[in-house]
Amino acid sequence: MSVSLLNDRDIDFLLYELLDLESVLGRPRYSEHTREIFDASLRTARTVAEKYFADHYVKGDENEPVLENGAVKMIPETKVAWREFTGAGFLAAHQDYEEGGMQMPEVLVRTIMAYINAANIGTAAYPFIAIGVTNLLRAFASPEQKAKYLPLIMDGRSNGTMALTEPGQGSALGDITTTAVPSDDGSFRIFGQKMFISCADHDIADNVIHMVLAKIKGAPAGVKGISLFIVPKYLVNDDGSLGKRNDVVVAGLNHKMGYRNATNAALNFGEKDGAIGYLVGEANKGLGYMFQMMNEARIGVALGAAAIAYQGYNYSLDYARQRPQGRLPSCRDPQSPQVMLVEHADVRRMLLSQKAYAEGALAMCLFASAVFEDQHTAPDPEQRKRAGLLLDLIIPVVKSWPSKYGCISNDLAIQILGGSGYIREYPVEQLYRDQRLNPIHEGAEAIHGLDLLGRKISQHNGEGFRIFIAEVRKDIDLASAEGVPETLGNQLDSALKKLERTTEKLLVQCQSDIDKGLANGTVYLDMFGRVVGAWIWLKQATSAQRGLNQCHGDENENFYRGKLQAALYYSQWELPAIETMAELLDNGNSLPFEMRDEWF
């Protein structure tokens, strides 16, 4: 059964009808591009994904990387995929022309990665991390550091990592123990261990550029004492050639339930004289620098979750259309032909739920990428400021909602396939295993709940939250003007008011008792996410209604009606769950908080 990675018609809809990607052509940075160039880039991405990533999706899962004599060995198809991705110029797609890049809009780069993610999320991790490292270096490294390291990653000679977590510390980065000792030549010697490092070592590129968080001896305690260092696997000579091996080694590989073709390892720094590292930017500001890469990675993880959910939806839909099973309850004739699975009402319910999650998640991620684009290239400074405040607010939701509901979507794909769903001869069980990592990647749900309620809502005197409310209300008015079914706007407006009231009450609770007030932060994150999901579906419904008004019964009618039906489903089946959440949050329900260790 051959199933498309995404839905090309949906991609066109998201890029050109929902997000109006062509409008960026009027910005100086993209004046040399055209829609034809964008479309050609997407076709190339789809081809690379289908030929060089999808071909070893199962093989990479069954033959995960191994550590032999200190070196990581992988299936050869991984290196071919890396070579083809870099050969297409995609590692440098977002970089400036003068840096050897293609100066593509953020939304287009993310869509390219969506195809790659849908084909093989494990192998996609290598370019995903590499792109994040180039952005980090480009933003904060010195001119000399950029000149030395950026070309190595952009042309595929090196990959990169973000080395934050330690064996004893996960998200509590203020307590990391990796240390950096200054050397006379201006470099540092790094000592410590990092854990769960994705793409930590491999044989697909000549070098690995580790971006390492560490504390310089004597630095302030907590997060204010964290610095960022470039620590290459092999030192790099001035001409870009490889120098001697640095004092960083793979201590062991972790064996994950999913993403198995992506190396995940413990790294030891400084087993001998210390790993040579180079300070990026100013001392003690490393966590702030790394947050740029982490925020990009959070959108990237969500995009991977959306792509996996989409692939599972496509597969289960195709299966349901081809698999005969039983008869409708109204049919009493045992001699009558069996109907296809899709004819059963409950199967259609599950498929519609998947559609709402998968298409909603992809739209949410691309919308966030469009906001990121506006933050950096919108012609109006005020628009750039508003975009930055909005994006900073919704990042926890954008990361968490696709990851959480992507798991539910892929679980439904297994359910639709029945017994075939949980055997390895069909891909949906692997898709689920891959998906299950995403609610943990780049911060577990609770971390983002604490971030949203404990920090993002209140920062900048709540301006980001006010911008969010205003943008949603503007889209409610626009939907009404376009003739979108009134129930969509009315239900979202009601949910938005409930979110505002709940937020006000929670802020009061946090002022009274911060521990108790934040105890239900994950529930608040879910509530907020459901409202954002409804907003994204209202935006899609508005574009679909506009398209439906203009298509006059052509081949697009079914597509647009499917969008409207999914929007109505989300509004009537998914959004109302916030009522129970709001009741618990408004009342400060503290049952879980009051539970004691001894009572378990």
Side-chain angles (χ1 to χ4, degrees):
M1 188 183 295
S2 178
V3 175
S4 61
L5 297 176
L6 299 172
N7 179 336
D8 294 339
R9 178 63 185 90
D10 194 25
I11 295 297
D12 282 345
F13 171 79
L14 295 176
L15 293 182
Y16 300 117
E17 298 180 61
L18 178 69
L19 300 175
D20 190 18
L21 180 59
E22 286 183 278
S23 66
V24 305
L25 297 173
R27 301 179 184 182
R29 180 173 176 80
Y30 306 117
S31 60
E32 296 183 28
H33 286 293
T34 64
R35 176 168 175 170
E36 289 72 25
I37 292 175
F38 292 164
D39 289 342
S41 299
L42 292 174
R43 287 194 298 271
T44 300
R46 186 179 63 225
T47 299
V48 170
E50 291 172 344
K51 292 182 65 176
Y52 303 108
F53 283 77
D55 69 320
H56 62 283
Y57 179 58
V58 173
K59 184 177 180 180
D61 183 70
E62 295 175 344
N63 301 272
E64 58 186 316
V66 295
L67 185 62
E68 296 179 352
N69 300 318
V72 174
K73 302 296 182 183
M74 313 182 67
I75 60 171
E77 290 87 347
T78 314
K79 187 170 186 177
V80 174
W82 172 260
R83 185 181 66 233
E84 294 295 330
F85 187 91
T86 58
F90 291 146
L91 272 183
H94 55 298
Q95 303 292 0
D96 293 343
Y97 291 134
E98 56 266 28
E99 295 173 339
M102 294 191 283
Q103 215 157 292
M104 286 184 176
E106 180 73 11
V107 181
L108 190 68
V109 175
R110 292 288 182 180
T111 309
I112 287 169
M113 283 305 300
Y115 278 107
I116 303 299
N117 289 333
N120 189 330
I121 195 69
T123 302
Y126 298 97
F128 165 60
I129 297 290
I131 289 171
V133 171
T134 59
N135 290 339
L136 185 64
L137 290 171
R138 188 167 177 253
F140 301 113
S142 69
E144 294 77 16
Q145 289 171 340
K146 286 190 280 190
K148 175 176 282 191
Y149 297 107
L150 277 179
L152 299 178
I153 303 176
M154 289 168 59
D155 66 13
R157 285 176 286 168
S158 289
N159 200 345
T161 72
M162 49 192 299
L164 294 74
T165 303
E166 297 182 359
Q169 298 300 331
S171 300
L173 294 173
D175 296 312
I176 62 172
T177 59
T178 300
T179 58
V181 180
S183 298
D184 293 338
D185 61 1
S187 66
F188 289 78
R189 295 297 184 272
I190 311 298
F191 298 89
Q193 188 177 62
K194 296 294 181 178
M195 187 59 162
F196 302 125
I197 308 304
S198 297
C199 309
D201 203 278
H202 46 73
D203 58 6
I204 66 172
D206 297 332
N207 206 355
V208 183
I209 308 299
H210 301 290
M211 305 302 297
V212 181
L213 291 184
K215 292 184 175 181
I216 300 172
K217 284 200 170 182
V223 297
K224 294 182 179 180
I226 296 175
S227 298
L228 177 64
F229 298 88
I230 298 170
V231 185
K233 174 182 175 180
Y234 289 96
L235 300 180
V236 179
N237 298 320
D238 291 339
D239 62 359
S241 62
L242 294 182
K244 69 176 183 178
R245 177 68 187 259
N246 205 356
D247 189 10
V248 51
V249 298
V250 177
L253 297 180
N254 300 307
H255 304 286
K256 312 182 301 299
M257 69 180 288
Y259 278 67
R260 288 183 177 177
N261 201 42
T263 309
N264 189 281
L267 291 175
N268 286 348
F269 295 85
E271 287 187 345
K272 299 176 182 176
D273 299 324
I276 297 174
Y278 306 95
L279 179 67
V280 175
E282 298 182 38
N284 305 326
K285 294 187 177 182
L287 189 59
Y289 302 151
M290 185 63 86
F291 260 114
Q292 172 181 295
M293 185 174 179
M294 290 167 68
N295 281 337
E296 288 183 29
R298 284 164 178 167
I299 297 177
V301 168
L303 185 71
I308 296 171
Y310 216 126
Q311 179 67 181
Y313 166 57
N314 283 347
Y315 197 92
S316 58
L317 175 61
D318 193 62
Y319 185 91
R321 285 171 167 168
Q322 297 186 43
R323 170 64 187 262
Q325 183 74 48
R327 295 161 187 84
L328 299 182
S330 59
C331 179
R332 302 294 184 180
D333 181 5
Q335 299 298 319
S336 63
Q338 295 189 81
V339 298
M340 297 301 169
L341 276 173
V342 73
E343 295 299 318
H344 293 288
D346 198 57
V347 172
R348 290 200 302 277
R349 176 192 62 82
M350 289 188 286
L351 288 169
L352 186 53
S353 181
Q354 282 188 270
K355 180 180 177 71
Y357 293 145
E359 292 184 10
L362 183 58
M364 185 183 292
C365 294
L366 295 184
F367 169 73
S369 300
V371 177
F372 178 93
E373 184 64 58
D374 286 344
Q375 179 186 4
H376 293 279
T377 66
D380 178 21
E382 182 62 24
Q383 185 183 359
R384 292 197 295 271
K385 176 185 175 184
R386 286 176 63 87
L389 290 168
L390 176 62
L391 182 63
D392 202 31
L393 172 75
I394 64 173
I395 279 284
V397 172
V398 173
K399 189 274 167 183
S400 302
W401 190 90
S403 300
K404 177 173 183 172
Y405 291 100
C407 284
I408 296 174
S409 183
N410 286 105
D411 180 76
L412 289 169
I414 293 175
Q415 190 70 22
I416 289 170
L417 265 70
S420 297
Y422 54 69
I423 61 175
R424 289 192 296 275
E425 284 74 12
Y426 292 82
V428 291
E429 67 87 27
Q430 183 182 341
L431 289 167
Y432 180 83
R433 286 189 288 103
D434 286 338
Q435 183 71 278
R436 189 57 189 83
L437 275 63
N438 290 316
I440 297 173
H441 277 160
E442 297 308 319
E445 274 188 279
I447 295 298
H448 295 288
L450 293 172
D451 183 37
L452 178 65
L453 179 57
R455 194 168 69 90
K456 295 294 180 65
I457 292 293
S458 301
Q459 71 181 4
H460 308 296
N461 294 315
E463 188 175 359
F465 187 61
R466 289 192 295 273
I467 291 170
F468 165 73
I469 297 295
E471 289 296 315
V472 177
R473 292 215 164 99
K474 182 175 71 175
D475 283 332
I476 291 173
D477 292 340
L478 178 61
S480 177
E482 289 288 349
V484 171
E486 287 187 4
T487 181
L488 286 172
N490 291 341
Q491 287 176 304
L492 179 54
D493 183 62
S494 176
L496 192 65
K497 290 174 181 175
K498 191 172 291 292
L499 178 64
E500 286 185 277
R501 290 193 298 269
T502 298
T503 301
E504 291 171 1
K505 292 180 179 180
L506 284 173
L507 291 177
V508 172
Q509 293 175 28
C510 288
Q511 289 175 351
S512 174
D513 184 337
I514 187 66
D515 291 333
K516 186 177 179 181
L518 291 177
N520 296 331
T522 306
V523 179
Y524 177 72
L525 175 69
D526 195 11
M527 179 183 180
F528 204 119
R530 284 178 183 265
V531 175
V532 173
W535 178 31
I536 296 299
W537 268 113
L538 180 74
K539 292 170 78 71
Q540 291 194 81
T542 302
S543 296
Q545 185 67 59
R546 188 182 300 122
L548 191 62
N549 293 340
Q550 298 171 358
C551 73
H552 306 299
D554 63 21
E555 69 276 4
N556 288 309
E557 181 174 352
N558 285 337
F559 175 82
Y560 291 131
R561 291 199 180 279
K563 282 289 183 184
L564 286 167
Q565 193 76 357
L568 288 165
Y569 167 82
Y570 189 88
S571 180
Q572 295 178 24
W573 285 64
E574 299 290 336
L575 185 57
I578 71 166
E579 298 290 338
T580 302
M581 296 175 186
E583 183 178 355
L584 290 170
L585 293 168
D586 291 354
N587 296 330
N589 190 297
S590 59
L591 275 173
F593 179 74
E594 293 167 356
M595 184 64 178
R596 294 293 175 261
D597 181 11
E598 301 81 20
W599 302 348
F600 282 108

